Every structure is written in structure tokens, then in C-alpha cells.
């Protein structure tokens, strides 16, 4: 539970906004302990970066092989 002094009540951590704000007044409430959960869109970006870098690396390997042959 996270206490909001502005609303004078507590909220479940899952009810907080995406930025860790109070769902009623929007005041920032998230505790540092919440850092353990990574938002799903982070993994989308990370997967995209890995795929892109992997593709670039593959292109580099193909280029090197073509120079040897
Ligand atoms: Zn509030």
C-alpha cells in the first residue's frame, strides 16, 4: 500500500498511474522498491534493439565473408 497525503488515503501499488502517481490527484507516490517491475514496453524496445543490432551484426559478417571469397 502507498499512502497519499493529499487524498488522505492509501492505494494499492497496482492502482498507481504508469509514472507512479496517485490515481486520484496525480501526486507522485511510487517508492524506490517499485523499481523491480519493468514496464512491458521496455521489453518491446529492448527486443527491437537486440533484433536490430543482431541484424546489423549479421550484415557485417556477410560483408566480411564476401570480401574473403
Ligand atoms: Zn492522491
Amino acid at each position: 500500500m502507498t499512502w497519499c497525503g493529499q487524498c488522505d488515503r492509501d492505494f494499492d501499488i497496482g492502482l498507481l498511474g504508469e509514472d507512479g502517481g496517485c490515481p486520484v490527484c496525480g501526486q507522485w507516490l511510487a517508492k524506490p522498491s517499485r523499481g523491480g517491475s519493468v514496464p512491458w514496453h521496455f521489453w518491446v524496445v529492448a527486443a527491437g534493439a537486440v533484433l536490430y543490432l543482431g541484424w546489423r551484426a549479421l550484415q557485417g559478417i556477410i560483408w566480411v565473408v564476401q570480401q574473403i571469397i
Side-chain angles (χ1 to χ4, degrees), residues 3-9 11 21-27 29:
W3 181 262
C4 179
Q6 209 137 310
C7 301
D8 201 31
R9 57 169 288 189
F11 296 99
C22 171
V24 178
C25 67
Q27 184 179 280
L29 300 173

Side-chain angles (χ1 to χ4, degrees), residues 11 13 15-30 34:
F11 296 99
I13 207 94
L15 291 171
L16 300 181
E18 214 169 305
D19 58 348
C22 171
V24 178
C25 67
Q27 184 179 280
W28 187 81
L29 300 173
R34 196 173 180 248

Side-chain angles (χ1 to χ4, degrees), residues 5-66:
Q6 209 137 310
C7 301
D8 201 31
R9 57 169 288 189
D10 56 358
F11 296 99
D12 191 89
I13 207 94
L15 291 171
L16 300 181
E18 214 169 305
D19 58 348
C22 171
V24 178
C25 67
Q27 184 179 280
W28 187 81
L29 300 173
K31 291 172 184 173
S33 59
R34 196 173 180 248
S37 61
V38 178
W40 65 270
H41 42 87
F42 169 83
W43 295 112
V44 173
V45 173
V50 167
L51 281 171
Y52 176 74
L53 290 171
W55 172 241
R56 296 295 298 178
L58 188 67
Q59 283 184 318
I61 290 162
I62 290 165
W63 184 85
V64 168
V65 169
Q66 284 174 335

